[in-house]
Amino acid sequence: METSPLLQKVDAVTIPVPDLDTGLRFYRDALGHELLWRHDGIGQAGLGLPGSDTEIVLTVRPDYEPNWLVASADDAARAVERA
């Protein structure tokens, strides 16, 4: 049995946007978040949160994907299946 919780922290908060440039104008330019990376091929961009390594991930895909940090994805998948 696990001695610590499976989910360690929120790795990213995913926010759907109509397009990356519009999302960046708001979250980067208007709100002041630093652009960490941009990947036009998958329609996503990551921005930093001060004092944290959690990211804001802008996405043009409308589906929501929570992003949890775990020690091992394989171990986490097995633990979820067992539960």
Side-chain angles (χ1 to χ4, degrees):
M1 176 162 240
E2 293 288 322
T3 58
S4 63
L6 177 67
L7 305 175
Q8 302 293 310
K9 70 174 200 128
V10 174
D11 187 51
V13 176
T14 304
I15 301 172
V17 293
D19 62 77
L20 289 182
D21 291 326
T22 299
L24 288 170
R25 276 193 298 275
F26 182 73
Y27 288 95
R28 180 192 59 200
D29 302 341
L31 299 184
H33 292 278
E34 176 187 6
L35 177 64
L36 302 175
W37 56 270
R38 179 176 177 155
H39 192 307
D40 289 309
I42 61 171
Q44 293 186 339
L47 298 110
L49 288 171
S52 172
D53 59 355
T54 299
E55 292 182 359
I56 296 171
V57 175
L58 306 180
T59 184
V60 297
R61 298 184 338 225
D63 54 330
Y64 170 74
E65 296 176 359
N67 291 278
W68 300 98
L69 179 66
V70 295
S72 162
D74 291 335
D75 291 346
R78 284 190 287 274
V80 169
E81 287 174 349
R82 284 193 306 270

